[in-house]
């Protein structure tokens, strides 16, 4: 590869929601920025997690120098354990981000001690030909940074996720000055968050939810049950403060809520007023008007504390008539059914359920809207621009927002998708080929259980067309088939309408067995595959359906 060019390759998160990961390459040096996961969409049946495919990084393993993290949301760190299980590279991020990474690593057995290096905003880091400065940004989470990466061909700014919050709850302002300084000196490439590129105006400050919650606290006559993302430290701080002001004790409930608040507290990012906390087991014997329950499970996750509370299956806490439940979170598309089912259960128990869009808001987004995106574009004034973090329509809207910069030095905007390689020199940039990208599906939260594509295909067939089991009995001594094969089916419509279809299918299987050689018959793997193929051909021809076919061979 030519050494005087910079290659910028998104490996995930462009043209798709979540799973953010990007590679920067100069010569024999590769930097990885973020390593996130994605929550599965509906077509990935029964899969729990979706991770990026690291094929490109594995092929170039000896050149990968470090992983740099912008912040601790799952779509940026969720695949760190999987990446570290493939590559032993140093990881850099703020202390809070790394603490969340460690929490994930605890669930996974790495064969070595990973090297995690905490960094602070304004800190400079040198890795090979890259000089990296961390710039504090505001977002729905604490301790988030953008990256200014000085390379031999010019400066690359990666915003991470951000909104421009003029009144952040922790008073840590977006460091627009440093961003503007880079803009003044000249930026080759800007990579900027596009999540809300289709939202006009400005995103509300994290403080904007306070009036709504003051109102909720004012009116609530019984228990207050409040749920938000466990990583929303700003939101949790607000609930602790309001509870203190209104004379309520707080119980923190749910595994992730407990561990993330402990991490934030230990790093000095969350102030817990003295004596405000009570244990979950003390909630029911404290007067209801004196209790706030902070609980995890905003997305209706079936095993979450909030879901269990909804069906009165929580070890310590019950919902009672007159309790107020407030969801201070966004309803992630795809989760509507689960969330609404949970809210229905709670309403049935007589709780007043508050969620969705309200004015004043009960939840605000963590991503900048159009005017904020414009502000960052105007401050950075890049020569080249690549919208990142978003589906194609959002990337394309964001690209349009940069058009007016043509007169201020913008040469070109590139709409990249995951896998596209952008090659930059000081005076030029062009798309140059693609690298392999893809998804890895994982079951039940364990990084060990990578679900093959074939499993997903099987699950789709099962759900659409059911299952067909041809059962073949072979005599252990003679190796002969004793009786006509049986066929059992479930959820396969054509088999249940009383036609002769099943009878005919049995004949098809019998014929396959008869026409097989003795050698084939002794190899059950081969026999199963032959039976499956012949039966499939028959079923597709007769019914145009594709049920899952699983031959079973029994020795009798
Ligand atoms: Zn984020
Ligand atoms: Zn994100």
């Amino acid at each position: 590869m030519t050494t005087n060019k910079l290659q910028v390759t998104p490996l995930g998160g462009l043209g798709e929601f979540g799973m953010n990961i990007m590679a920067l390459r100069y010569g024999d040096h590769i930097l990885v920025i973020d390593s996130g996961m994605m929550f599965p969409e509906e077509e990935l049946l029964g899969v729990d997690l979706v991770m990026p495919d690291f094929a490109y990084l594995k092929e170039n393993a000896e050149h990968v120098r470090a992983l740099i993290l912008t912040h601790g949301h799952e779509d940026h760190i969720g695949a760190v354990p999987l990446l570290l299980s493939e590559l032993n590279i140093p990881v850099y991020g703020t202390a809070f981000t790394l603490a969340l990474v460690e929490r994930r690593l605890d669930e996974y057995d790495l064969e070595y001690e990973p090297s995690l290096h905490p960094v602070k905003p304004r800190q400079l880091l040198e890795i090979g030909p890259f000089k990296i400065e961390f710039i504090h940004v505001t977002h729905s989470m604490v301790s988030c940074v953008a990256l200014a990466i000085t390379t031999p061909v010019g400066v690359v700014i990666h915003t991470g996720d951000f909104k421009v919050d003029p009144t952040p709850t922790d008073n840590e302002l977006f460091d627009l000055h440093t961003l503007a300084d880079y803009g003044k000196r000249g930026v080759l490439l800007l990579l900027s968050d596009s999540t809300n590129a289709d939202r006009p105006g400005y995103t509300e400050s994290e403080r904007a939810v306070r009036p709504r919650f003051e109102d909720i606290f004012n009116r609530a006559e019984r228990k207050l049950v409040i749920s938000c993302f466990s990583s929303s430290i700003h939101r949790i701080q607000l609930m602790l403060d309001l509870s203190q002001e209104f004379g309520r004790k707080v119980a923190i409930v749910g595994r992730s809520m407990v561990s993330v608040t402990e991490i934030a507290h230990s790093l000095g990012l969350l102030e817990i007023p003295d004596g405000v906390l009570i244990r979950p087991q003390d909630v029911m014997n404290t007067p209801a008007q004196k209790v706030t329950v902070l609980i995890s499970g905003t997305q209706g996750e079936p095993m979450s504390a909030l879901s269990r509370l909804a069906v009165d299956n929580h070890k310590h806490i019950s919902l009672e008539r007159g309790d107020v439940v407030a969801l201070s979170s966004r309803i992630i598309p795809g989760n509507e059914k689960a969330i609404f089912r949970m809210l229905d259960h709670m309403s049935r128990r007589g709780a007043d359920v508050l969620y969705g869009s309200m004015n004043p808001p009960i939840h605000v987004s963590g991503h900048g809207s159009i005017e904020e995106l414009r502000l960052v574009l105007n401050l950075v004034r890049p020569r080249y621009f690549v919208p990142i973090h978003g589906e194609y329509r959002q990337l394309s809207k964001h690209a349009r927002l940069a058009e007016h910069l043509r007169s201020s030095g913008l040469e070109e905007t590139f709409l990249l998708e995951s896998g596209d390689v952008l090659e930059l020199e000081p005076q030029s940039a062009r798309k140059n080929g693609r690298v392999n990208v893809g998804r890895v599906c994982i079951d039940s939260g364990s990084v060990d259980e990578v679900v093959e594509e074939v499993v997903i295909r099987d699950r789709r067939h099962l759900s659409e067309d059911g299952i067909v089991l041809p059962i073949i009995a072979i005599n252990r001594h003679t190796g002969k088939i004793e009786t006509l094969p049986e066929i059992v089916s479930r959820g396969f419509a054509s088999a249940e309408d009383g036609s002769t279809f099943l009878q005919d299918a049995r004949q098809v299987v019998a014929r396959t067995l008869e026409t097989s050689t003795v050698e084939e018959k002794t190899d059950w793997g081969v026999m199963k595959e032959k039976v499956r193929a012949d039966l499939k051909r028959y079923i597709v021809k007769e019914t145009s359906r594709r049920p899952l076919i699983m031959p079973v061979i029994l020795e009798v």
Side-chain angles (χ1 to χ4, degrees):
M1 106 151 245
T2 39
T3 49
N4 56 349
K5 286 179 183 158
L6 175 71
Q7 287 186 334
V8 175
T9 310
L11 302 175
L14 272 69
E16 56 198 355
F17 175 72
M19 205 169 85
N20 300 299
I21 174 167
M22 177 169 285
L24 253 61
R25 177 175 193 153
Y26 185 82
D28 279 344
H29 303 269
I30 296 175
L31 271 191
V32 185
I33 301 171
D34 288 341
S35 178
M37 62 172 213
M38 179 191 268
F39 294 97
E41 294 150 23
E42 266 173 69
E43 63 253 37
L44 296 175
L45 298 164
V47 165
D48 292 316
L49 303 169
V50 180
M51 308 266 179
D53 182 335
F54 301 123
Y56 169 76
L57 297 175
K58 283 192 272 183
E59 281 158 25
N60 295 285
E62 73 269 36
H63 305 311
V64 182
R65 300 285 175 248
L67 170 64
I68 316 279
L69 300 172
T70 60
H71 67 292
H73 275 145
E74 290 297 334
D75 57 324
H76 299 259
I77 65 162
V80 172
L82 190 62
L83 179 61
L84 291 187
S85 75
E86 302 282 358
L87 301 172
N88 182 352
I89 48 173
V91 184
Y92 299 86
T94 61
F96 183 59
T97 303
L98 293 183
L100 294 180
V101 167
E102 273 183 283
R103 188 173 153 256
R104 280 269 159 268
L105 285 169
D106 282 345
E107 297 160 8
Y108 185 71
D109 267 336
L110 267 194
E111 278 158 13
Y112 62 92
E113 193 58 40
S115 71
L116 308 179
H117 306 270
V119 293
K120 290 205 168 86
R122 300 307 311 276
Q123 190 173 327
L124 281 166
L125 184 67
E126 239 182 286
I127 297 171
F130 304 109
K131 239 184 245 113
I132 302 144
E133 178 166 10
F134 297 84
I135 302 172
H136 181 77
V137 298
T138 45
H139 184 37
S140 48
M141 183 179 236
V142 296
S143 295
C144 305
V145 290
L147 309 169
I149 304 169
T150 305
T151 77
V153 298
V155 172
V156 177
I157 303 264
H158 185 299
T159 63
D161 282 352
F162 74 94
K163 64 177 172 182
V164 182
D165 190 339
T167 55
T169 28
D170 56 4
N171 293 322
E172 294 286 338
L173 300 178
F174 192 136
D175 188 359
L176 292 167
H177 293 290
T178 301
L179 210 57
D181 277 346
Y182 276 99
K184 247 187 257 167
R185 279 176 276 152
V187 169
L188 180 69
L189 172 68
L190 171 66
L191 304 155
S192 184
D193 177 16
S194 312
T195 310
N196 275 348
D198 46 13
R199 264 185 58 160
Y202 294 89
T203 300
E204 299 92 336
S205 165
E206 281 296 307
R207 273 186 214 264
V209 299
R210 190 178 167 103
R212 166 63 57 197
F213 276 97
E214 277 177 351
D215 184 57
I216 292 172
F217 272 81
N218 252 319
R219 288 167 190 243
E221 287 169 356
R222 298 191 55 83
K223 274 205 302 293
L224 249 177
V225 176
I226 299 169
S227 190
C228 61
F229 285 118
S230 54
S231 58
S232 301
I233 302 304
H234 300 303
R235 214 59 61 80
I236 293 167
Q237 182 71 63
L238 176 67
M239 302 315 157
L240 289 169
D241 293 347
L242 282 172
S243 296
Q244 169 85 344
E245 284 170 36
F246 284 81
R248 284 179 183 260
K249 300 282 183 197
V250 180
I252 296 177
V253 179
R255 209 162 57 106
S256 64
M257 194 65 101
V258 169
S259 76
V260 177
T261 48
E262 274 172 9
I263 289 170
H265 182 57
S266 70
L267 293 171
L269 298 165
L270 184 72
E271 273 177 52
I272 301 179
D274 280 344
V276 82
L277 291 186
I278 55 171
R279 299 178 308 167
Q281 49 267 51
D282 295 330
V283 166
M284 298 310 284
N285 40 33
T286 307
Q289 72 277 17
K290 295 274 174 214
V291 183
T292 306
V293 176
L294 264 181
I295 189 165
S296 45
T298 59
Q299 300 305 309
E301 304 92 328
M303 294 312 290
S304 71
L306 191 58
S307 283
R308 278 182 283 143
L309 186 61
V311 294
D312 204 23
N313 187 23
H314 193 275
K315 202 160 37 159
H316 302 302
I317 305 170
S318 288
L319 268 186
E320 295 162 305
R321 190 155 292 280
D323 287 350
V324 173
V325 179
L327 286 196
S328 185
S329 60
R330 154 179 124 85
I331 293 175
I332 294 180
N335 296 344
E336 294 93 342
K337 269 192 202 153
I339 296 172
F340 293 148
R341 204 179 312 125
M342 175 177 78
L343 298 181
D344 286 342
H345 283 301
M346 299 196 279
S347 303
R348 249 181 232 121
R349 321 203 88 78
D352 184 8
V353 180
L354 308 172
Y355 63 96
S357 61
M358 306 182 177
N359 189 15
I362 194 166
H363 169 67
V364 294
S365 169
H367 299 272
S369 302
I370 285 177
E371 297 307 325
E372 291 149 271
L373 301 183
R374 232 181 226 137
L375 174 65
V376 166
L377 278 162
N378 292 354
L379 286 177
V380 175
R381 280 178 299 175
R383 188 177 179 92
Y384 301 105
F385 173 45
V386 172
I388 57 169
H389 303 169
E391 295 184 348
Y392 204 84
R393 62 185 183 284
Q394 291 147 346
L395 303 179
S396 133
K397 286 240 188 259
H398 200 179
R400 269 175 239 274
L401 291 181
E403 276 308 300
H404 71 285
L405 288 176
R406 293 263 176 207
S407 54
S408 330
L410 179 75
E411 284 289 331
E412 201 167 346
T413 297
F414 293 93
L415 278 170
L416 302 186
E417 287 186 273
S418 301
D420 285 339
V421 180
L422 182 70
E423 211 164 66
L424 298 118
E425 290 171 273
Q427 303 296 328
S428 74
R430 64 186 186 106
K431 270 195 225 184
N432 187 11
R434 283 181 60 77
V435 303
N436 281 328
V437 291
R439 301 165 171 194
V440 174
C441 301
I442 291 173
D443 253 3
S444 57
S446 150
V447 187
D448 303 331
E449 291 179 50
V450 172
V451 187
E452 304 294 336
E453 279 295 314
V454 68
V455 175
I456 306 225
R457 192 196 61 207
D458 285 350
R459 286 178 187 180
R460 197 174 58 241
H461 289 180
L462 261 177
S463 83
E464 286 170 1
D465 293 331
I467 184 167
V468 171
L469 301 176
I471 300 169
I472 300 144
I474 292 181
N475 186 307
R476 191 179 318 164
H477 305 295
T478 63
K480 289 215 170 85
I481 287 58
E482 298 279 359
T483 53
L484 197 62
E486 284 292 337
I487 293 186
V488 176
S489 79
R490 287 288 180 274
F492 177 52
S494 308
E496 284 150 17
D497 61 7
S499 68
T500 57
F501 176 82
L502 273 189
Q503 282 304 323
D504 296 347
R506 291 171 75 186
Q507 297 295 345
V508 170
V509 177
R511 208 154 38 240
T512 306
L513 298 170
E514 280 163 23
T515 56
S516 299
T517 64
V518 178
E519 213 175 288
E520 282 175 324
K521 278 186 211 164
T522 55
D523 187 340
W524 289 12
V526 170
M527 281 319 297
K528 281 183 182 175
E529 189 45 44
K530 280 190 75 175
V531 167
R532 207 188 58 77
D534 289 352
L535 194 54
K536 180 179 155 197
R537 201 174 307 119
Y538 173 72
I539 292 175
V540 170
K541 188 171 119 245
E542 290 293 316
T543 68
S544 308
R545 303 209 152 266
R546 295 170 177 278
L548 183 67
I549 301 171
M550 261 182 66
V552 178
I553 297 180
L554 301 173
E555 263 190 338
V556 291

